[in-house]
Amino acid sequence: MRQTEGEKQDGRTRNAQANRERVYAAAIKVFTSRGYDAATMDEIAAEAGVARRTAFNHFPAKSDIATEWAVRGGESVFALVRDVDHITSAADRVRAYFHELALMAERDWDETRQMTTGLLRGHGVPPHRSQLSVELRDWLRECLRERPGNGPAPAADPALTVDVLYDVFQGALMRRLSQDAAPHGAFTAEVDAAIALVLAGFASDAGHA
């Protein structure tokens, strides 16, 4: 039976996606073993078993792979905490998001160090926040709605608080980026304490402004 044009297109799309996944997985492996700066796209293509041109078609620069890693990581953590039944308040959901993000960073520390290095090499300090920040901002607005009384005070700014929360997380990560040894819980504990401090200030500002 001859394939229809639509079936051929679907097959090409699946093949392209499979190649992209192979290149992505190979890049993580090569970056972790060789270091981001030393790794080349030729090595990544060879590890993935694809042509060099194929690797560049999917990821024109090494830093594009690091960006994809950051996006995937953030999305996977959001999926993990978004609908967890035992998290009953918006504030706890925000805390859980950054806690799980820190745990993920520690779990694969060599990978985290190399991919974060890739982000810095390619983009420097990010000039804007991920689209995921919008949902974090909405969770903070929900925190204000959950407060007893007459509602939020004008000085409690969810958008600014989201920026501060991300800065706290990234600052803690940058301070440890040069450390070869995994933090073994110390990084997550530092993030938990810092995030709790920012959220306490946010709630206090909402209540007393």
Side-chain angles (χ1 to χ4, degrees):
M1 180 181 293
R2 296 180 61 183
Q3 284 185 316
T4 66
E5 192 58 38
E7 288 172 334
K8 291 179 181 178
Q9 182 63 37
D10 288 344
R12 286 192 290 269
T13 299
R14 286 193 297 271
N15 186 58
Q17 185 59 38
N19 280 338
R20 183 180 181 86
E21 290 301 316
R22 278 196 289 270
V23 173
Y24 178 78
I28 299 294
K29 183 177 179 179
V30 173
F31 288 152
T32 303
S33 62
R34 294 264 293 132
Y36 178 86
D37 290 330
T40 67
M41 290 298 287
D42 285 339
E43 292 172 322
I44 292 168
E47 179 67 32
V50 301
R52 182 176 185 271
R53 179 178 177 180
T54 299
F56 274 106
N57 282 342
H58 289 291
F59 298 103
K62 288 196 302 181
S63 60
D64 294 329
I65 302 169
T67 300
E68 177 116 345
W69 172 83
V71 170
R72 290 190 186 197
E75 288 178 344
S76 69
V77 171
F78 258 106
L80 185 64
V81 305
R82 182 179 285 124
D83 300 312
V84 177
D85 291 337
H86 66 80
I87 302 178
T88 57
S89 76
D92 286 344
R93 207 170 295 283
V94 173
R95 277 190 285 269
Y97 170 74
F98 284 100
H99 176 78
E100 293 297 334
L101 207 59
L103 281 179
M104 184 177 68
E106 286 204 41
R107 199 174 301 126
D108 298 297
W109 185 243
D110 289 340
E111 179 180 311
T112 296
R113 291 177 63 239
Q114 297 308 323
M115 301 309 283
T116 303
T117 297
L119 286 170
L120 293 172
R121 295 284 189 271
H123 308 289
V125 177
H128 56 79
R129 300 303 184 196
S130 160
Q131 290 183 348
L132 299 175
S133 301
V134 174
E135 188 160 356
L136 270 178
R137 183 198 63 201
D138 291 343
W139 288 352
L140 289 172
R141 284 178 175 162
E142 187 178 339
C143 292
L144 295 175
R145 289 195 297 270
E146 290 171 351
R147 288 181 54 82
N150 297 322
D157 185 347
L160 176 60
T161 305
V162 166
D163 281 350
V164 174
L165 289 168
Y166 271 115
D167 287 344
V168 163
F169 179 85
Q170 291 173 348
L173 181 58
M174 293 304 126
R175 285 192 295 275
R176 294 179 181 273
L177 203 59
S178 63
Q179 299 177 3
D180 292 335
H184 299 300
F187 173 65
T188 299
E190 179 182 344
V191 168
D192 286 347
I195 295 299
L197 187 63
V198 174
L199 289 176
F202 174 74
S204 175
D205 191 33
H208 298 104

